[in-house]
């Protein structure tokens, strides 16, 4: 941690701020020890300086700076500058903080040009991924990852022909004739600079602000978009306390912060310097419409808490009261700093005055990562409209939006699985490696606290209907690929992985990756499945050498035909398919782990994991797989290293790794044309046909002959393999009664997959899109009294909850007594847990 010691200010000195300091007292001897304990707590929670993370962020910002200046220079050599703002500029970034950056361009680089041309430049830059452009936001932004660092950049266009790299943004004249979006973009950095100039001790300010931000995130009141205080508002309020106690140590500043904010004369605004001509001047506008106004110091002054509602104000005041009590207990030695940042378990009903009797779950779903990033962000930004509407319903005392969303992606193979995933159901116990669709969902929770009993219950149907109309009216809504569902839940109906999660608030990012098929562990009651990590595996499975079935890609498997040679020279001859057969796998092995273990020998272009598709073991692994490398040398290396061994990652089973003697339908079509190239006559020919050994192969050969009359004994005279295989697979699906809502023609995407270019998802059938359209708008639970159909609304019975849900707020003494009981009970349970 950065040292917070600084020279004390003399009484004769003029201090920054609107009013003189309340106290000039310096740190006491005990304050040094208490501050060290505070800093150790911040380090334990990751809210501290990290030299490695700081260096990575500087490298990332420097890369974007070079790209932007090159972009501007290619247009007309207009210079250009890049500045950071937010937590990075103030100096309170944590280890996992993202980077907010401002790009400043000359007059000839329009906003439209920046968000299109420069976005394309970023897309093609090495190390840049997951780029999304959001031009309809309050402040338009480009979000992306660069070398593993998450970054958001905004743009400001100045009325200048050349932008020097060291431009001084403190000059108010730069804002002349600029549009509002450019002014808002510039003010991010201008506010950060002003705050640092207006605090007397920057080191103490930063330590205090780190603690306040950690506390706010832990207690679930850190989110400007949901109506709480955001990073800028917390920074300004901490800076105000630092102005009032310029010589105080961070531990004292934290205690003073909660007392001052709790007893502040709201809605009197918090300002850091005199305001003369702005509408936020309290002399000009003494009665402000915002319950907790905190004004930015840079011109033009803006309210950083304009999103706050009456509910979020009440919740914030409740948390300030609790924190004031805890810090007093810390000063008396009756509690520790860890008690201050204890995570508030809102989804378990809350505690103290903030208890809740019902919850609304808002589930946003879509069918792609890029689309879901924009769609879920749009839904989150509109949640405040729903909470404001809910506040107006008689009988509802408090509305609290949970600041953490729960994201999940679910591979699906059937229409029912897609519909269930869109409704927030847990993922299936078996992970599919070749799903027809991956459903992306984000669940947001809104807690409802009841007040005075209302006859007939609280009808929230109108509020939900209005919210759905607002959300669906945005440009991010696509009825064929995005959906939204609202459900009513009680505290005991919320999934355990959500209610028990201690994930703190983070800015919405594109963190979903297709390799993490399930982001949350699920408890599976069926004893034939076991949970390992984030994936679920079947416990039992047959040996591929003892049974026959189908692989995950539909390939026919035969034990006696695909079992490799057991001799030492297993790599002597390479079949035309280039496909490896891997047998003897442990039943807990999954595709993901298998790929990780084998990709050390070379690039894997195809992996087919074998499952039982029918019978009592349907859905369980068979203990074998097909693997194809990009080169034959990689396959030879894998055989020589693994065949006949018992590796530790495979349990106690002996591995069989050999060239597949008979390739599957898919694998035979994935071979390179050079495999069938005849050097003697320079013509491309098909391999000689193999005699069918099973009824399925015989039926396939018969179908092939009936579909293509030209097919004779030798397939060289027939049409190409892709069209034959497509026709055979289509006929077999019809014969086997595959329950697909629409027959999907074989497309170029499937052809690329058959050519061995990796796991390419086939086109999604029509029912995947219909599932979003047909999904119910509102899904009330049995505990809800429904007075209308599900599409128009439902009633929450607020008379069933305990009486304490409607009681008056506790006094400070009562709150201190309650917190003491909680802390003593927690300390009593801790030794029992350790023993």
């Amino acid at each position: 941690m950065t040292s917070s010691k600084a020279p004390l200010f003399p009484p004769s000195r003029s201090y920054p701020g609107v009013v003189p300091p309340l106290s000039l007292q310096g740190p006491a001897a005990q304050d040094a020890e208490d501050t060290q304990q505070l800093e150790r707590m911040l380090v334990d929670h990751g809210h501290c300086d990290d030299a490695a993370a700081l260096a990575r962020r500087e490298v990332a910002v420097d890369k974007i700076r070079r790209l932007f200046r090159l972009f501007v220079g290619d247009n007309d050599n207009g210079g250009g500058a890049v500045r950071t703002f937010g937590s990075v500029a103030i100096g309170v970034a944590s280890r996992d903080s993202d980077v907010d950056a401002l790009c400043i361009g000359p007059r000839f680089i329009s906003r439209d040009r920046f968000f299109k041309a420069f976005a394309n430049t970023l897309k093609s830059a090495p190390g840049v991924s997951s780029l999304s452009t959001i031009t309809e936001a309050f402040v338009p932004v480009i979000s992306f990852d660069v070398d593993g660092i998450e970054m958001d950049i905004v743009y400001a266009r100045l009325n200048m022909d050349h932008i020097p790299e060291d431009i001084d943004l403190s000059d108010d004249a730069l804002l002349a004739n600029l549009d509002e979006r450019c002014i808002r973009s510039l003010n991010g950095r201008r506010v950060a600079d002003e705050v640092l100039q207006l605090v007397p001790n920057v080191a103490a300010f930063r330590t205090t602000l780190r603690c306040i931000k950690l506390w706010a995130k832990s207690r679930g009141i850190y989110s400007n978009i949901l109506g709480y205080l955001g990073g800028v508002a917390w920074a300004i309020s901490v800076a105000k306390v630092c102005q009032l106690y310029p010589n105080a140590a961070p531990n004292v500043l934290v205690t003073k912060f909660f007392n001052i904010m709790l007893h502040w004369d709201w809605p009197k605004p918090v300002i850091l310097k005199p305001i003369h001509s702005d509408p936020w001047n309290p002399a000009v506008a003494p009665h402000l419409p915002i319950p907790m106004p905190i004004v930015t110091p840079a011109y033009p002054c803006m309210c950083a808490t304009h999103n706050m509602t009456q509910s979020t104000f009440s919740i914030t005041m409740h948390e300030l009261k609790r924190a004031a009590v805890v810090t007093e207990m810390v000063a008396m030695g009756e509690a520790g700093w860890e008690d201050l940042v204890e995570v508030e378990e809102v989804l378990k009903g809350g505690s103290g005055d903030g208890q809740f009797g019902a919850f609304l779950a808002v589930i946003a779903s879509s069918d792609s990562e890029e689309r879901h990033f924009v769609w879920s962000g749009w839904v989150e930004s509109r949640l405040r409209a729903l909470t404001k509407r809910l506040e107006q319903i008689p009988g509802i005392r408090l509305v609290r939006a949970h600041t953490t969303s729960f994201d999940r992606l679910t591979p699906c193979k059937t229409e029912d699985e897609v519909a269930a995933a869109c409704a927030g159901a847990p993922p299936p116990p078996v992970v599919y490696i070749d799903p027809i669709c991956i459903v992306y969902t984000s669940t947001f929770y809104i807690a409802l606290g009841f007040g005075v009993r209302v006859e007939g219950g609280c009808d929230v149907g109108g509020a939900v209907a209005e919210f759905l109309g607002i959300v669906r009216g945005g440009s991010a809504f696509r009825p064929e690929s995005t959906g939204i569902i609202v459900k009513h839940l009680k505290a005991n109906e919320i999934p355990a992985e959500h209610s028990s999660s201690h994930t703190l608030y983070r800015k919405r990012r594109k963190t979903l990756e297709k390799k993490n098929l399930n982001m949350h562990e699920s408890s599976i009651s069926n004893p034939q499945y076991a949970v390992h990590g984030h994936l679920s595996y079947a416990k039992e499975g047959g040996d591929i050498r003892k049974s026959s079935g189908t692989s995950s890609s539909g390939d026919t498997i035969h034990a006696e035909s695909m079992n490799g040679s057991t001799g030492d020279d297993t790599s002597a001859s390479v079949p035309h398919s280039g496909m490896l057969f891997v047998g003897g796998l442990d039943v807990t092995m999954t595709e993901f782990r298998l790929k990780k273990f084998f990709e050390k020998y070379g690039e894997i272009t195809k992996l087919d994991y074998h499952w039982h598709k029918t019978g009592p073991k349907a859905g369980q692994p068979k203990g074998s797989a097909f693997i194809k490398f990009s080169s034959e040398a990689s396959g030879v290396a894998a055989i020589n290293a693994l065949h006949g061994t018992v590796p530790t990652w495979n349990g106690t089973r002996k591995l069989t790794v050999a060239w597949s003697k008979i390739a599957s339908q898919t694998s035979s079509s994935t071979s390179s044309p050079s495999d069938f190239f005849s050097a003697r006559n320079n013509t491309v020919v098909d391999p000689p046909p193999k005699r069918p050994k099973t009824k399925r192969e015989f039926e396939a050969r018969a179908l092939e002959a009936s579909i293509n009359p030209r097919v004779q004994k030798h397939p060289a005279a027939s049409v190409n393999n892709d069209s034959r295989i497509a026709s055979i697979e289509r006929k077999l699906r019809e014969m086997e009664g595959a329950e697909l809502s629409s027959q999907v023609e074989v497309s170029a995407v499937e052809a690329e997959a058959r050519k061995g270019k990796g796991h390419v998802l086939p086109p999604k059938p029509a029912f995947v899109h219909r599932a979003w359209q047909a999904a119910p708008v509102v899904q009330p639970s049995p505990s809800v009294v429904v007075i209308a159909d599900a599409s128009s609304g439902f009633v929450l019975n607020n008379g069933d909850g305990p009486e304490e849900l409607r009681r008056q707020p506790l006094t400070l003494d009562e709150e201190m007594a309650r917190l003491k009981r909680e802390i003593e009970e927690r300390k009593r349970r801790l030794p029992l847990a350790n023993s």
Side-chain angles (χ1 to χ4, degrees):
M1 298 295 297
T2 305
S3 175
S4 57
K5 291 185 178 181
L8 299 183
F9 285 92
S12 60
R13 168 167 178 168
S14 61
Y15 298 90
V18 181
V19 297
L22 297 180
S23 173
L24 296 176
Q25 183 177 355
Q30 183 64 29
D31 291 337
E33 181 180 351
D34 292 344
T35 299
Q36 290 179 358
Q37 294 177 359
L38 174 64
E39 292 177 344
R40 282 197 296 268
M41 184 270 294
L42 295 176
V43 171
D44 294 339
H45 287 269
H47 280 248
C48 60
D49 294 323
D50 190 322
L54 178 62
R56 290 195 301 270
R57 283 193 290 265
E58 290 179 350
V59 171
V61 172
D62 187 62
K63 175 183 287 189
I64 301 304
R65 181 180 292 110
R66 292 196 305 269
L67 287 174
F68 180 67
R69 290 185 63 83
L70 182 62
F71 168 76
V72 175
D74 287 345
N75 285 274
D76 200 5
N77 195 20
V82 176
R83 296 282 194 278
T84 60
F85 62 95
S87 60
V88 175
I90 294 178
V92 293
S94 57
R95 295 170 185 170
D96 57 350
S97 296
D98 62 350
V99 176
D100 297 316
L102 164 68
C103 293
I104 309 168
R107 70 175 87 239
F108 55 83
I109 303 294
S110 65
R111 178 172 296 275
D112 184 68
R113 192 174 184 179
F114 173 83
F115 282 96
K116 289 182 179 179
F118 186 60
N120 293 331
T121 300
L122 290 174
K123 285 182 180 180
S124 59
V128 176
S129 61
S130 302
L131 187 143
S132 293
T133 302
I134 307 176
T135 57
E136 297 181 357
F138 185 69
V139 179
V141 63
I142 300 178
S143 299
F144 56 92
D145 292 350
V146 51
D147 297 334
I149 301 296
E150 298 173 346
M151 183 174 289
D152 295 333
I153 59 174
V154 299
Y155 179 65
R157 173 190 181 189
L158 300 184
N159 292 321
M160 302 170 63
D161 293 328
H162 180 81
I163 305 297
E165 191 172 1
D166 58 348
I167 184 172
D168 182 13
L169 297 181
S170 62
D171 186 4
D172 293 344
L174 294 175
L175 306 181
N177 301 321
L178 295 185
D179 61 38
E180 292 185 0
R181 292 172 297 180
C182 289
I183 293 176
R184 288 195 293 264
S185 299
L186 284 170
N187 261 11
R189 177 58 188 237
R190 283 163 54 86
V191 168
D193 293 340
E194 285 275 5
V195 168
L196 292 178
Q197 292 176 3
L198 291 172
V199 294
N201 187 339
V202 175
F205 162 75
R206 286 172 173 167
T207 301
T208 306
L209 180 56
R210 288 182 189 274
C211 179
I212 299 304
K213 292 182 66 172
L214 175 59
W215 163 79
K217 292 179 180 180
S218 301
R219 303 304 296 177
I221 55 173
Y222 188 101
S223 176
N224 177 58
I225 197 172
L226 294 178
Y228 304 102
L229 273 67
V232 175
W234 289 119
I236 295 173
S237 57
V238 171
K240 181 65 176 180
V241 176
C242 291
Q243 288 181 344
L244 298 177
Y245 299 90
N247 298 326
N251 67 309
V252 176
L253 290 174
V254 170
T255 302
K256 296 296 184 182
F257 170 84
F258 294 120
N259 280 280
I260 288 177
M261 291 296 109
L262 178 62
H263 298 96
W264 190 268
D265 186 18
W266 305 111
K268 182 180 179 180
V270 174
I271 55 178
L272 297 181
K273 69 178 186 178
I275 300 175
H276 301 291
S277 58
D278 289 279
W280 292 109
N281 187 346
V284 178
H287 302 291
L288 299 174
I290 297 174
M292 196 175 185
I294 298 176
V295 184
T296 59
Y299 177 85
C301 298
M302 302 177 183
C303 182
T305 55
H306 63 278
N307 290 335
M308 178 164 278
T309 65
Q310 287 298 329
S311 284
T312 54
F313 174 72
S314 300
I315 293 167
T316 303
M317 296 304 294
H318 164 71
E319 293 297 337
L320 287 171
K321 180 175 67 173
R322 175 195 174 274
V325 173
V326 173
T327 51
E328 290 295 337
M329 296 172 64
V330 171
M332 293 184 295
E334 298 179 357
W337 292 112
E338 288 288 345
D339 298 314
L340 176 67
V341 297
E342 179 188 4
V343 177
E344 168 69 330
E345 297 179 337
V346 176
L347 300 184
K348 289 186 177 180
S351 62
D353 299 340
Q355 294 187 2
F356 305 97
F359 296 85
L360 293 181
V362 180
I363 305 171
S365 57
S366 53
D367 62 350
S368 71
E369 180 185 6
E370 297 293 331
R371 185 178 290 112
H372 188 69
F373 175 65
V374 178
W375 170 240
S376 60
W378 166 251
V379 172
E380 184 182 28
S381 68
R382 301 298 99 186
L383 286 178
R384 193 173 69 258
L386 177 58
T387 58
K388 284 176 133 181
R389 182 65 177 83
L390 291 172
E391 289 177 357
Q392 304 171 5
I393 298 176
I396 295 181
R397 173 179 58 89
L398 204 61
V399 181
R400 180 166 187 170
H402 194 49
T403 56
T404 302
S405 67
F406 299 92
D407 302 327
R408 173 186 288 158
L409 54 87
T410 306
C412 301
K413 272 201 170 184
T414 66
E415 179 179 5
D416 292 339
E417 290 181 355
V418 172
C422 294
V430 176
V431 177
Y432 304 121
I433 197 171
D434 56 344
I436 60 168
C437 177
I438 295 181
V439 178
Y440 296 77
T441 58
S442 293
T443 303
F444 307 91
Y445 289 99
I446 299 177
L448 303 177
F450 296 132
V452 180
R453 187 188 303 271
V454 176
E455 188 69 25
C458 304
D459 185 3
V460 301
V464 171
E466 291 180 13
F467 166 71
L468 294 174
I470 293 174
V471 169
R472 290 175 173 171
S475 60
F477 177 66
R478 295 288 185 272
E480 72 280 358
S481 57
T482 59
I484 183 169
I485 292 177
V486 179
K487 298 195 298 185
H488 163 238
L489 301 171
K490 290 186 177 180
N492 57 4
E493 296 173 332
I494 296 177
E497 63 268 21
H498 294 178
S499 60
S500 301
S501 174
H502 287 176
T503 303
L504 302 187
Y505 168 84
R506 283 199 68 194
K507 189 184 298 182
R508 172 155 296 279
R509 308 296 308 182
K510 291 181 295 181
T511 56
L512 297 179
E513 298 181 6
K514 294 180 181 178
K515 66 180 181 180
N516 298 324
L517 295 181
N518 296 323
M519 293 193 64
H520 302 286
E521 297 183 8
S522 57
S523 299
I524 304 171
S525 58
N526 193 337
Q528 69 177 346
Y529 295 104
V531 178
H532 181 81
H534 294 295
L535 304 179
S536 303
Y537 322 116
K539 281 187 177 179
E540 302 174 0
D543 191 336
I544 191 170
R545 294 168 296 176
K546 299 179 181 178
S547 61
S548 63
T550 55
S551 69
S552 60
S553 59
D555 302 335
T556 303
I557 305 169
H558 306 286
E560 68 276 8
S561 63
M562 288 189 299
N563 189 14
S565 172
T566 58
D568 295 333
D569 192 12
T570 56
S571 59
S573 60
V574 181
H576 60 77
S577 67
M579 187 75 67
L580 283 181
F581 167 72
V582 181
L585 293 173
D586 191 85
V587 292
T588 61
M589 183 63 60
T590 62
E591 300 100 321
F592 182 75
R593 293 177 62 208
L594 185 64
K595 179 176 180 294
K596 285 294 182 183
F597 292 135
F598 271 80
E599 66 184 2
K600 66 178 65 175
Y601 301 103
E603 180 185 2
I604 296 177
T605 59
K606 185 174 179 63
L607 190 152
D608 285 340
Y609 197 72
H610 303 152
W611 303 84
H612 290 282
K613 293 301 182 71
T614 58
K617 294 184 178 181
Q620 300 182 24
K622 298 175 67 66
S624 59
F626 281 131
I627 295 179
K628 185 173 183 179
F629 290 96
S630 58
S631 64
E632 294 178 359
S634 300
V636 173
I639 292 175
N640 293 336
L642 298 176
H643 178 67
T645 63
V646 185
T648 56
W649 48 264
N650 196 47
T652 59
R653 302 190 66 180
K654 183 178 180 180
L655 277 182
T656 297
V657 183
W659 295 110
S660 173
K661 293 185 177 179
I662 296 182
S664 60
Q665 290 180 0
T666 303
S667 61
S668 64
S669 64
T670 60
S671 300
S672 170
S674 61
D675 294 334
F676 306 140
F677 188 84
S678 173
R680 181 168 54 186
N681 53 9
N682 290 339
T683 59
V684 178
V685 297
D686 288 329
K690 296 185 180 293
R691 181 179 178 179
K693 294 186 177 182
T694 65
K695 180 180 179 180
R696 182 181 176 89
E697 282 191 354
F698 181 81
E699 291 175 350
R701 186 67 58 83
L703 280 172
E704 181 181 8
S706 64
I707 296 171
N708 300 302
R710 295 175 55 195
V711 176
Q712 304 297 330
K713 291 184 178 181
H714 198 277
S718 66
V719 296
N720 62 73
N721 288 338
D722 287 349
S723 61
R724 283 206 317 274
I725 293 174
S727 301
I728 293 172
E729 290 177 344
R730 188 166 57 252
K731 285 290 184 180
L732 287 176
R733 284 196 299 267
E734 295 173 356
M735 291 178 62
E736 295 172 353
E739 298 180 356
L740 295 176
S741 60
S742 62
Q743 294 294 333
V744 183
E745 296 294 335
V746 177
S747 65
V749 178
E750 292 178 69
E752 290 297 321
R754 284 198 299 270
K755 291 178 182 178
K757 294 187 177 181
H759 299 291
V760 182
L761 292 178
K764 293 182 286 291
F767 74 78
V768 174
H769 301 305
R770 288 202 301 269
W772 269 281
Q773 294 174 320
V777 173
V778 178
Q779 291 188 347
S781 69
S783 60
V784 178
V785 181
V786 181
I787 63 171
D789 60 355
S791 62
S792 61
F794 52 86
V795 169
L796 303 181
N797 189 348
N798 70 334
D800 297 335
E803 190 65 27
E804 58 266 19
L805 296 181
R806 296 182 290 275
R807 59 182 172 82
Q808 295 297 321
L810 300 177
T811 64
L812 285 177
D813 293 338
E814 293 172 339
E815 185 72 14
M816 178 175 288
R818 185 187 67 80
L819 288 173
K820 283 184 178 180
R821 290 194 299 269
E822 289 184 0
I823 293 173
E824 290 174 358
E825 178 65 19
R826 187 163 61 251
K827 291 180 178 178
R828 186 186 66 82
R829 292 196 304 265
L830 186 59
L832 296 178
N834 294 335
S835 61

